[in-house]
Amino acid sequence: MKNDITQKNIKKLKKAILVYNPKSGNANMILSNFDLITRKLLEKGITLTLYSISWDYDLFTEILKNEKYDILILSGGDGTLSRCLSELYSKNIEFPEVAIFPTGTSNDFSKALNIGENIENWIEKITEKTAKYVDFGLINNKTVFLSSYAGGLFTQISYNTDKTLKKTFGKVAYYINGVGELTNIKAFDLNIVLDGNEKVKEKAILFVILNGKGVAGFDNVIDDASMNDGLMDILIIKNIDNLLDVPKILMDLMNNNLTDNDYTRTLRAKKCKIEKVKEDINLSIDGEEGGNMDVEIEFVEKKLKVFH
């Protein structure tokens, strides 16, 4: 062991808890590499506790309420991360410094932070980097999202795609399901109020509130977006009158050129209110199913520190 843990410095040990979702895409990576993770962290003076989550998060929050941890390692996809942080936020439990092991199928947040794609990268972020402040979205003052809040076309693909397909084919499974959506485009009336005064009305087929540049595997949907400015970026895809224009929108999306497309509109705000959409649309919160309702969304800065 490179750094021996002696009796003299044992009181200086940091404590980390690794919370993992056994049903996420690559959860087996955690168990198969647990000895490696434990050893590498201990070499840097960090002890590790492993905790497996289920749909019941009460015990998880009770542990962090009653036990002081310096580092919270969250393993899973975007949905797992945001659900864990939502539970802590709703119970007024201060966030420890957060590290991410992106073992889910949808990992937009970790990709935006350049967390890396293997276990050595993830461990190195904790042992060699310093945690830095990152914004997060807050829905109705209780639900945290880290990457995106979206409504309309494509938004149900993540939570409707078969889990076996996700594990076997990864993102390809999403794209396969997405093609079918193009034959069923539904427009809806979108009403947003930005920062308490600016009213925005659009006939839209999709809106996405972004934390950072990318979403759904696309790296630079909004190129000048930031994850630490306290502002949300809103992308609206307007109703498409001519279906022959759909391929152009998709090509612009793939080429990171949406801002030059006539069917798109981008906005930026600290807070916004979105009216419940009268039409029947799908909503997603970090790739997990959400409800169509009146929402108030704000971006919170300088409360969440993440190793990246």
Side-chain angles (χ1 to χ4, degrees):
M1 188 174 293
K2 295 177 182 178
N3 296 330
D4 292 329
I5 306 302
T6 64
Q7 189 69 32
K8 184 178 179 180
N9 64 17
I10 196 167
K11 292 182 179 179
K12 298 179 181 179
L13 289 175
K14 288 186 175 182
K15 293 172 60 178
I17 182 169
L18 197 170
V19 179
Y20 85 104
N21 180 357
K23 295 184 179 180
S24 66
N26 299 297
N28 61 310
M29 292 179 65
I30 300 302
L31 296 180
S32 60
N33 288 282
F34 185 63
D35 181 67
L36 172 68
I37 300 167
T38 304
R39 177 167 48 83
K40 290 289 187 181
L41 291 181
L42 193 56
E43 287 174 0
K44 297 296 184 178
I46 304 169
T47 62
L48 184 66
T49 299
L50 182 66
Y51 181 77
S52 172
I53 56 174
S54 63
W55 289 111
D56 183 0
Y57 285 70
D58 288 343
L59 185 56
F60 157 68
T61 54
E62 285 302 308
I63 289 173
L64 269 77
K65 182 178 180 180
N66 293 291
E67 189 76 18
K68 170 70 175 176
Y69 284 95
D70 302 288
I71 302 169
L72 169 61
I73 306 172
L74 295 175
S75 172
D78 291 332
T80 299
L81 272 56
S82 56
R83 285 194 58 169
C84 286
L85 294 179
S86 291
E87 288 296 318
L88 294 177
Y89 187 91
S90 66
K91 291 179 172 59
N92 201 30
I93 300 172
E94 186 177 351
F95 297 146
E97 293 185 335
V98 172
I100 301 171
F101 286 5
T103 57
T105 309
S106 176
N107 303 295
D108 288 327
F109 186 65
S110 64
K111 188 173 182 180
L113 293 175
N114 296 312
I115 299 297
E117 298 184 355
N118 61 64
I119 202 85
E120 287 82 8
N121 291 149
W122 309 341
I123 298 171
E124 185 179 334
K125 295 297 186 224
I126 302 172
T127 59
E128 304 298 331
K129 301 292 184 179
T130 302
K132 300 174 184 177
Y133 282 114
V134 176
D135 298 341
F136 63 88
L138 190 62
I139 306 166
N140 291 338
N141 200 35
K142 63 178 182 179
T143 302
V144 169
F145 71 92
L146 298 170
S147 179
S148 65
Y149 176 89
L153 190 71
F154 301 129
T155 52
Q156 94 285 18
I157 291 172
S158 178
Y159 53 82
N160 274 357
T161 301
D162 183 82
K163 290 182 179 179
T164 303
L165 283 176
K166 286 183 185 179
K167 287 187 176 183
T168 305
F169 298 106
K171 285 182 182 176
V172 174
Y174 292 117
Y175 296 146
I176 291 172
N177 274 19
V179 172
E181 285 266 307
L182 295 175
T183 62
N184 190 32
I185 296 175
K186 295 179 181 178
F188 56 89
D189 292 313
L190 179 64
N191 294 290
I192 304 178
V193 178
L194 303 179
D195 292 325
N197 51 40
E198 182 183 351
K199 294 183 179 180
V200 176
K201 295 179 180 289
E202 289 284 0
K203 178 72 76 171
I205 60 173
L206 170 69
F207 73 88
V208 185
I209 296 178
L210 288 168
N211 184 19
K213 302 177 188 293
V215 67
F218 297 99
D219 297 336
N220 288 291
V221 175
I222 299 179
D223 191 53
D224 61 346
S226 171
M227 299 181 75
N228 57 11
D229 60 357
L231 299 173
M232 69 184 77
D233 286 271
I234 306 171
L235 171 69
I236 301 172
I237 306 294
K238 303 175 187 179
N239 186 35
I240 302 174
D241 299 314
N242 186 354
L243 291 180
L244 295 177
D245 289 333
V246 172
K248 183 182 186 307
I249 295 176
L250 294 177
M251 286 301 297
D252 285 344
L253 176 61
M254 295 176 69
N255 294 322
N256 303 321
N257 192 37
L258 273 179
T259 53
D260 294 330
N261 192 292
D262 292 337
Y263 285 106
T264 64
R265 182 176 181 182
T266 56
L267 307 164
R268 185 166 288 165
K270 172 71 175 177
K271 299 179 180 180
C272 76
K273 290 184 179 181
I274 304 176
E275 289 184 9
K276 178 181 178 180
V277 177
K278 295 179 181 179
E279 294 82 1
D280 183 22
I281 67 167
N282 299 295
L283 274 294
S284 76
I285 303 170
D286 280 345
E288 301 287 332
E289 186 172 6
N292 180 14
M293 64 181 78
D294 291 331
V295 294
E296 294 187 21
I297 296 176
E298 66 175 308
F299 264 38
V300 180
E301 56 182 334
K302 300 193 183 309
K303 287 209 173 196
L304 173 64
K305 278 188 171 181
V306 179
F307 288 93
H308 66 284

